[in-house]
Amino acid sequence: MIFVTVGAQMAFDRLVEAVDEWAGATGRGDVFAQIGPTDLEPRHVPFERFLEPPAFRAKAEAATVIVAHAGMGSILTALTMGTPILVMPRRGDLRETRNDHQVATARRLGEMGRVAVAMDEAELRRRLDAIDELADGGRIGAHAEDALLRAIRAEILGRT
């Protein structure tokens, strides 16, 4: 199952519409979308606007791949589960978010090989055509590594 999620704070109709059109064109019936606060109603994909955390977790665990905005919650969920994730970042200039932090996140994690990235709808459709071959970006632990925690502690407290 392909689990599409855009978070709960803002609509991300560009992503949802692109996936919905792709699902309709390809006949994919294994897509479910969490679409957030929007008036959009996908025609080819079953959806919910919001999912409570247990329902979200169940969808994420059932997914063979996650397609999402480049929000850290979605990315960390996929990486801790070892589930491949394809992200399309929200853009500040389109008023999909306050700034381009998701663009920076997607680029950096894409460079690291942790996530697959589509920067726009056309690239998203191309990547969706190969979604079944998408590899995971490597599983991460649910907690920060001790070395990172020591470095943060040292920076804040001024000692090691």
Side-chain angles (χ1 to χ4, degrees):
M1 186 255 299
I2 299 170
F3 178 40
V4 179
T5 180
V6 300
Q9 294 182 358
M10 303 173 77
F12 194 14
D13 291 351
R14 277 192 313 128
L15 183 144
V16 174
E17 288 175 329
V19 173
D20 187 49
E21 289 171 11
W22 172 82
T26 60
R28 290 290 292 246
D30 62 341
V31 182
F32 177 85
Q34 176 273 311
I35 64 171
T38 178
D39 293 330
L40 178 71
E41 296 201 357
R43 294 178 300 141
H44 308 287
V45 173
F47 66 93
E48 292 285 341
R49 295 193 193 298
F50 303 99
L51 294 172
E52 293 297 322
F56 181 92
R57 184 84 183 171
K59 291 291 186 190
E61 288 175 349
T64 55
V65 64
I66 295 174
V67 177
H69 67 141
M72 286 309 300
S74 299
I75 292 169
L76 290 173
T77 295
L79 292 176
T80 58
M81 292 180 170
T83 303
I85 183 168
L86 169 60
V87 299
M88 185 170 93
R90 296 174 186 268
R91 291 180 24 198
D93 65 320
L94 298 178
R95 298 182 183 261
E96 293 168 335
T97 188
R98 292 174 291 280
N99 55 40
D100 280 337
H101 70 282
Q102 287 200 4
V103 173
T105 297
R107 284 192 177 131
R108 181 66 182 132
L109 291 176
E111 291 167 359
M112 295 171 67
R114 293 296 196 169
V115 301
V117 178
M119 296 306 289
D120 59 31
E121 303 95 305
E123 187 175 7
L124 179 62
R125 288 184 196 98
R126 286 193 301 274
R127 290 209 169 246
L128 287 168
D129 286 340
I131 197 79
D132 294 322
E133 286 81 42
L134 190 63
D136 70 69
R139 184 176 282 221
I140 64 170
H143 305 285
E145 294 180 9
D146 288 341
L148 176 60
L149 294 174
R150 281 193 303 273
I152 292 171
R153 190 174 296 118
E155 183 68 25
I156 292 171
L157 302 175
R159 59 185 169 170
T160 57

